[in-house]
Amino acid sequence: MNDMTPTREQREARLEGMGCKRKRVEDIRFTQGKGNYVDDVKLPGMLHGDFVRSPHAHARIKSINTEKALKVPGVLAVLTAETLKTVNLAWMPTLAGDVQMVLADGKVLFQNQEVAFVVATDRYAADDGIGAVEVEYEALPPLIDPFTAMDADAPMLREDLAGKTEGAHGPRKHHNHIFEWTVGDRELTDLAFDKADVTIKEMISYHRTHPSPLETCQCVCSFDKIKGELTIWGTFQAPHVIRTVVALISKIPEHKIHVIAPDIGGGFGNKVGAYPGYICAAVATIVTGKPVKWVEDRMENLTTTSFARDYHMTTEIAATKEGKVTGLRVHVLADHGAFDACADPSKWPAGFMNIVTGSYDFPVAHLAVDGVYTNKAPGGVAYRCSFRVTEAAYCIERGMDILAQKLGMDPAELRLKNFIKAEQFPYHSALGWEYDSGDYHTAMKKGMETIDYAGLRREQAEKREAFKRGETREIMGVGVSFFTEIVGAGPSKNCDILGIAMFDSCEIRLHPTGSGIARVGTKSQGQGHETTWAQIIATEIGIPADDIMVEEGNTDTAPYGLGTYGSRSTPVAGAAIALAARKIRAKAQMIAAYLLEVHEGDLEWDVDGFRVKGLPEKFKSMKDICWAAYNSVPPGMEPGLEAVSYYDPPNMTYPFGAYFCVMDIDVDTGVYKIRRFYALDDCGTRINPMIIEGQVHGGLTEAFAIAMGQEIRYDATGNVLGGSFMDFFIPTAVETPHWETDHTVTPSPHHPIGAKGVGESPNVGGVPAFSNAVNDAFSFLGSTHIQMPHDFWRNWEAAKRLGVTG
Ligand code: PCD
Ligand SMILES: [Cu+]
């Protein structure tokens, strides 16, 4: 070795592997406006489709007259449910076992529902065509309040299900009932409540909101009549699932369907489901023989595509007078809108809501969820937690605060007292999960020390006294939230979508000169997979991350995968990537042994190649081995260096975190100021700390939006009130607080690289932190629970209700 030989550290740094704050490679094109999004797909002769939508929330359709529309210059076709019936596509299956109208069939069930699809030479002509379609409606009584959905005299929404007493998830109790789902031991839980010293009960609602990604949902469909092939470019978080759904409902053989998800401008769960626009564009290209583009506008996106939450959770906790929790009982009324179009794994009608015991050692618990139909848009999947973990975390984190208040205990102290202890992992929760790993006490204490929790409480006590003396009009709240996430759906034993197990996949192919391509079954929408996936490979096989190209989103080239949502990419695909890389390394080891004329067992891995044990100068780098793989492999070995891995995770991963929010609220105006927000996340092994930080910043900003103002509201007749950015709160840099981030590292014991997901965590933990801060601020005035979102007006209303302002 001479002086020019790089040190081990230098070789490691050159790889930019796991743990490196590698800059996002995709940002080179994104920041220069050189991304390639669906709307950038422009094909010769391409037509444009757009929808006639219902102004009513609930109405019968008496007639649709398309004659005038068809005379509008540029309009080529108008599809209605009747047209779609000729190809058996007026309805489509949802991922939740329900069916959904593609175009209104006989009646409409929510405002802005798709009624007809106008296809024209350009978007403007399509719009003129929409104006010329004549639809005659007969208004029906709307059902907006989910609490009245199962009243005896409630209007029947889903006439297609009339008389059906069995739904996709068991018996239906009423014509607007979708399912009842129960978990846990009812009897033992009731007993715990009978014996409890202290109990609390509160209706905690997580309102309806919407992720509203920068880019709306869209697609371009192009049918090649000669080859009988359908190509779909679309904003799909799960391209392979879309291909399978299209194959099942169109009867086009799956190998003749090409689904391509190009760059995506944010997904946030909004782009998991299948929407009528996709089906209509596909039918339209087959009918017209021309490519057809469908692009939603902002209002269409906000009012009709996958909303989030709308869970009304009656929460009860039983405890001893010393503050040890002894039982949890939760009933959820789930408002699903007109169709059950959630995208949970098949066996989980309410997602992973049974993580509602949170980070606490509840000996017994019981959860019951009733899903109901209302005259609102379908969905329920979205917004940085597709599987209802956010609802669960909000429920338990609000509940613990309410219990602390009743016990006269500090909320952080109550949590510390009830945490699952580090030595209890793997921990079996009362509602059936096996938490893989955690160290809650360490995380919580680190957070409390960093923000000087005790000092904040002292300050708050002083401020409260000053408020009572009339010296200030400001009240101070400290919001505590300690969440446990559950991500990585999921193990084939209990997770499937449409019968397909929720594995994920990776295929790595190394080229002779020592670079390569990795194709993965996931699909980044901004998370930075092109950067992080290459980092895993770099560490595993010693090829610099810059020399690995990552490709996702093309069903012809990527191995089958279930896509990106529910923070599943790192737990599932991340593992597939590591294992595919290890297969390559195993073959590389055989080649190296052959080249160095030693036994495989005599070699050891050293950063970027193999070294003969005890003979450090005998070394073959991965680059050398790549070349050899194409010309001098051991006799009998196949040439080439590539591997595929399909990974079926043995368990979910359970990231967690401790969040604190310090807030001051002026009682006379309701105006709040967020003084401090501290977020400690534990996502196990950290692949790219900078990307993690970005994920946390983004998720916290969204949590802030939800907790402090964002809402999709409906009036009594079913008009959407949050349908544009005039009424729907999107925080800008001006409103967004400063985020302090921190971490601990508790690797997942079953994941090949120990990583857990992180993308969803900040939203899961963030919302309760904000809401608890507001509630904590008001608590000394006798309030137990104030409903989100906590905008200025509602804060002022709360102050008024509590008699501290006029
Ligand atoms: N440990 C760790 C973890 C993680 N990571 C990173 O981070 C990220 C994320 O991850 P995750 O957690 O795994 O996740 P994913 O699967 O990938 O993704 C998903 C998520 O993601 C988030 N984030 C985001 N970002 C952006 N930019 N955009 C978007 O859209 C979005 N979305 C959101 C959502 S909503 Mo759902 O769908 O509702 O369910 S779910 C979700 C990536 O890149 C990775 O790699 C790292 O580094 N490390
Ligand atoms: Cu989730």
Side-chain angles (χ1 to χ4, degrees):
M1 278 195 243
N2 59 38
D3 291 346
M4 297 304 283
T5 311
T7 63
R8 194 188 155 85
E9 287 67 36
Q10 285 168 331
R11 281 158 59 214
E12 243 158 22
R14 200 176 54 100
L15 296 180
E16 298 200 67
M18 284 192 276
C20 169
K21 294 185 179 175
R22 182 175 185 230
K23 282 197 180 160
R24 298 184 7 140
V25 292
E26 42 273 269
D27 287 353
I28 297 167
R29 61 177 193 280
F30 292 162
T31 54
Q32 297 183 54
K34 293 283 164 35
N36 181 41
Y37 298 90
V38 173
D39 201 35
D40 294 318
V41 178
K42 295 184 172 99
L43 302 177
M46 189 172 76
L47 305 175
H48 298 258
D50 204 355
F51 286 108
V52 175
R53 294 180 179 273
S54 167
H56 297 274
H58 194 197
R60 204 163 297 292
I61 295 184
K62 303 194 75 179
S63 66
I64 303 177
N65 188 339
T66 60
E67 254 169 61
K68 284 187 191 150
L70 285 167
K71 290 195 185 115
V72 170
V75 172
L76 297 174
V78 181
L79 308 182
T80 63
E82 295 313 310
T83 342
L84 294 182
K85 276 180 190 167
T86 61
V87 284
N88 215 0
L89 282 176
W91 291 70
M92 63 177 177
T94 73
L95 295 176
D98 197 358
V99 287
Q100 174 177 357
M101 292 175 195
V102 175
L103 289 171
D105 184 14
K107 70 191 287 197
V108 288
L109 290 164
F110 61 95
Q111 189 178 54
N112 278 358
Q113 187 180 336
E114 301 80 0
V115 174
F117 190 68
V118 177
V119 186
T121 46
D122 61 56
R123 188 77 192 257
Y124 304 98
D127 201 47
D128 291 343
I130 288 168
V133 174
E134 294 167 332
V135 187
E136 203 187 332
Y137 298 96
E138 178 193 308
L140 295 169
L143 170 56
I144 304 305
D145 178 1
F147 289 92
T148 64
M150 292 203 278
D151 286 358
D153 59 350
M156 180 190 288
L157 305 194
R158 293 288 300 277
E159 284 160 22
D160 60 303
L161 301 177
K164 267 194 144 187
T165 52
E166 277 293 313
H169 308 286
R172 299 170 68 219
K173 297 184 258 194
H174 182 276
H175 54 251
N176 294 325
H177 187 233
I178 310 173
F179 63 83
E180 182 188 20
W181 186 59
T182 61
V183 206
D185 193 320
R186 178 89 218 205
E187 262 174 51
L188 285 181
T189 307
D190 289 351
L191 204 67
F193 275 84
D194 291 344
K195 291 199 300 202
D197 302 333
V198 183
T199 61
I200 61 124
K201 181 172 184 175
E202 193 67 55
M203 231 300 290
I204 297 170
S205 279
Y206 198 135
H207 57 290
R208 181 179 274 242
T209 180
H210 194 283
S212 190
L214 201 54
E215 176 201 37
T216 60
C217 299
Q218 34 200 279
C219 71
V220 175
C221 295
S222 179
F223 187 64
D224 182 327
K225 274 200 175 135
I226 312 294
K227 294 188 192 155
E229 291 181 10
L230 177 64
T231 306
I232 308 177
W233 291 263
T235 46
F236 306 135
Q237 292 183 229
H240 281 101
V241 178
I242 294 283
R243 189 185 69 189
T244 301
V245 172
V246 174
L248 289 174
I249 65 182
S250 72
K251 305 285 187 289
I252 298 172
E254 199 163 352
H255 69 291
K256 295 206 167 187
I257 302 168
H258 315 287
V259 175
I260 300 163
D263 286 331
I264 295 185
F268 305 108
N270 190 229
K271 294 167 178 169
V272 174
Y275 296 120
Y278 307 157
I279 307 285
C280 289
V283 172
T285 181
I286 294 170
V287 171
T288 62
K290 300 263 174 58
V292 177
K293 178 181 270 186
W294 169 69
V295 173
E296 254 179 2
D297 67 22
R298 180 58 56 193
M299 289 179 76
E300 292 177 305
N301 180 259
L302 274 172
T303 60
T304 68
T305 55
S306 236
F307 71 92
R309 329 292 184 223
D310 224 341
Y311 258 34
H312 307 281
M313 307 173 284
T314 308
T315 311
E316 295 173 87
I317 303 178
T320 65
K321 54 184 182 309
E322 293 78 28
K324 200 94 185 90
V325 296
T326 55
L328 174 71
R329 197 159 56 194
V330 178
H331 177 267
V332 181
L333 182 68
D335 186 342
H336 283 256
F339 309 97
D340 184 2
C342 284
D344 302 304
S346 307
K347 295 188 187 74
W348 305 94
F352 304 151
M353 181 65 197
N354 56 327
I355 192 79
V356 67
T357 50
S359 315
Y360 313 105
D361 191 7
F362 277 96
V364 291
H366 188 260
L367 165 71
V369 184
D370 276 298
V372 295
Y373 292 120
T374 58
N375 289 119
K376 300 177 193 167
V381 44
Y383 220 173
R384 265 192 148 113
C385 185
S386 311
F387 301 145
R388 307 291 186 178
V389 185
T390 326
E391 287 88 326
Y394 185 61
C395 174
I396 188 64
E397 287 309 289
R398 219 38 297 286
M400 289 302 273
D401 262 28
I402 295 168
L403 176 65
Q405 191 182 350
K406 185 147 184 185
L407 288 163
M409 260 176 93
D410 179 86
E413 194 192 319
L414 178 71
R415 284 173 172 81
L416 284 165
K417 190 165 204 151
N418 287 289
F419 277 154
I420 299 159
K421 297 186 189 68
E423 61 272 19
Q424 282 175 280
F425 292 92
Y427 171 81
H428 292 263
S429 80
L431 294 179
W433 293 115
E434 184 189 310
Y435 293 26
D436 64 346
S437 60
D439 184 352
Y440 300 166
H441 287 92
T442 303
M444 185 72 166
K445 285 183 181 151
K446 186 174 185 195
M448 288 170 74
E449 265 163 44
T450 313
I451 62 155
D452 183 21
Y453 184 78
L456 287 169
R457 286 296 178 199
R458 276 194 302 274
E459 184 191 345
Q460 183 187 42
E462 281 158 24
K463 268 199 125 177
R464 284 177 171 176
E465 289 312 313
F467 183 86
K468 286 183 198 153
R469 290 193 301 268
E471 291 162 16
T472 174
R473 299 298 290 153
E474 233 178 40
I475 54 177
M476 169 182 168
V478 182
V480 181
S481 155
F482 196 99
F483 67 94
T484 294
E485 247 271 67
I486 166 169
V487 295
S492 61
K493 59 175 184 274
N494 54 20
C495 288
D496 74 275
I497 281 186
L498 295 171
I500 305 162
M502 294 182 75
F503 58 83
D504 227 289
S505 60
C506 172
E507 180 198 288
I508 302 171
R509 186 179 303 162
L510 295 184
H511 311 317
T513 54
S515 70
I517 179 166
R519 290 176 164 133
V520 189
T522 47
K523 176 62 209 168
S524 188
Q525 312 122 42
Q527 292 87 344
H529 293 174
E530 285 167 52
T531 307
T532 50
W533 294 166
Q535 289 183 261
I536 299 178
I537 296 169
T539 297
E540 291 290 342
I541 61 175
I543 300 274
D546 275 346
D547 294 340
I548 302 290
M549 182 165 94
V550 173
E551 195 186 88
E552 298 178 316
N554 184 334
T555 54
D556 283 343
T557 54
Y560 204 109
L562 276 279
T564 291
Y565 43 86
S567 265
R568 64 184 298 281
S569 305
T570 303
V572 191
I577 294 163
L579 294 183
R582 286 175 197 179
K583 285 184 191 175
I584 289 197
R585 197 163 96 182
K587 183 170 180 183
Q589 186 163 359
M590 293 193 256
I591 298 172
Y594 176 68
L595 297 174
L596 292 163
E597 299 177 328
V598 293
H599 283 292
E600 258 178 78
D602 297 332
L603 293 176
E604 61 188 6
W605 177 252
D606 179 21
V607 183
D608 50 10
F610 287 99
R611 202 177 289 290
V612 178
K613 287 178 196 160
L615 290 172
E617 68 287 353
K618 292 204 110 198
F619 178 77
K620 282 288 168 201
S621 73
M622 271 304 284
K623 205 175 153 84
D624 302 334
I625 298 168
C626 284
W627 186 256
Y630 290 88
N631 61 35
S632 45
V633 293
M637 180 188 270
E638 289 177 18
L641 202 46
E642 60 180 83
V644 187
S645 171
Y646 282 77
Y647 184 77
D648 179 6
N651 191 4
M652 307 279 183
T653 66
Y654 296 76
F656 57 92
Y659 289 5
F660 298 88
C661 172
V662 187
M663 198 186 289
D664 300 296
I665 304 171
D666 179 300
V667 292
D668 297 318
T669 58
V671 173
Y672 57 81
K673 281 191 267 18
I674 292 159
R675 215 198 288 174
R676 211 167 164 188
F677 197 104
Y678 167 91
L680 178 148
D681 274 279
D682 191 319
C683 56
T685 306
R686 294 151 59 85
I687 303 164
N688 184 325
M690 187 171 66
I691 286 197
I692 292 174
E693 190 155 316
Q695 287 292 310
V696 173
H697 283 197
L700 289 177
T701 307
E702 292 181 328
F704 165 64
I706 295 168
M708 304 312 285
Q710 216 166 62
E711 186 177 21
I712 300 285
R713 264 192 313 139
Y714 288 81
D715 71 10
T717 50
N719 295 304
V720 196
L721 303 180
S724 83
F725 284 167
M726 294 294 283
D727 321 284
F728 191 76
F729 173 47
I730 296 283
T732 66
V734 176
E735 296 89 8
T736 303
H738 171 74
W739 309 120
E740 290 171 58
T741 57
D742 200 350
H743 64 276
T744 53
V745 177
T746 312
S748 166
H750 61 78
H751 189 282
I753 58 169
K756 304 178 177 185
V758 77
E760 291 184 341
S761 295
N763 210 329
V764 171
V767 171
F770 288 109
S771 186
N772 280 348
V774 174
N775 276 287
D776 183 64
F778 282 106
S779 64
F780 79 114
L781 300 169
S783 142
T784 49
H785 177 64
I786 301 163
Q787 198 49 62
M788 289 193 287
H790 306 287
D791 48 32
F792 299 157
W793 178 73
R794 281 184 179 87
N795 288 343
W796 174 71
E797 283 278 300
K800 228 169 46 163
R801 228 172 21 247
L802 295 165
V804 290
T805 189

